[in-house]
Amino acid sequence: QVQLVESGGGLVQAGGSLRLSCAASGRTVSRIHMGWFRQAPGKEREFVAVISWGGSSTYYADSLKGRFTISRDNAKNTVYLQMNSLKPEDTAVYYCAADRNWPLSQATPYWGRGTLVTVSS
């Protein structure tokens, strides 16, 4: 019912910035909460950030708050993740997720294929 496609990943140097995008499409793309998770090599997938369907509420992982910013453009059914001051430990596959319920979780039903972010030292 909902398809998610991430873009914007790549290789950057430590201290640099990157902006990820996730476009949603399908039969039921309206009023969906959207967010980001990531999975680093050898680690479990972890929560990054989420934004409510109207954009009025956001929540971030404590370790990322202040460096990452989530936003959305409902006219384009797209959510963004601006990542600043990147560190090597930010290296991971970043996944876009969506749900009609708040908040998002590992059980969120809709996921993108992921986009790889590699931060070199």
Side-chain angles (χ1 to χ4, degrees):
Q1 291 183 328
V2 177
Q3 293 78 49
L4 305 172
V5 180
E6 304 97 333
S7 62
L11 193 155
V12 298
Q13 292 185 327
S17 298
L18 205 60
R19 185 179 180 87
L20 305 182
S21 299
C22 175
S25 62
R27 296 175 58 244
T28 55
V29 297
S30 62
R31 293 194 172 189
I32 53 172
H33 312 296
M34 299 179 68
W36 296 89
F37 290 74
R38 70 182 185 182
Q39 186 168 24
K43 296 185 177 181
E44 297 290 327
R45 186 166 58 188
E46 65 178 350
F47 169 76
V48 174
V50 63
I51 186 168
S52 60
W53 72 268
S56 60
S57 297
T58 59
Y59 191 77
Y60 300 87
D62 289 341
S63 62
L64 304 177
K65 195 171 186 178
R67 294 195 298 120
F68 289 14
T69 302
I70 189 170
S71 62
R72 68 187 300 162
D73 183 345
N74 285 347
K76 298 180 179 180
N77 291 317
T78 299
V79 65
Y80 306 95
L81 183 68
Q82 178 67 45
M83 305 184 293
N84 299 323
S85 301
L86 285 165
K87 305 174 182 179
E89 51 263 42
D90 293 320
T91 295
V93 175
Y94 284 72
Y95 297 93
C96 181
D99 200 347
R100 296 178 186 84
N101 299 315
W102 180 268
L104 301 185
S105 72
Q106 298 288 353
T108 290
Y110 304 112
W111 296 89
R113 299 293 185 181
T115 185
L116 177 63
V117 173
T118 302
V119 184
S120 64
S121 59

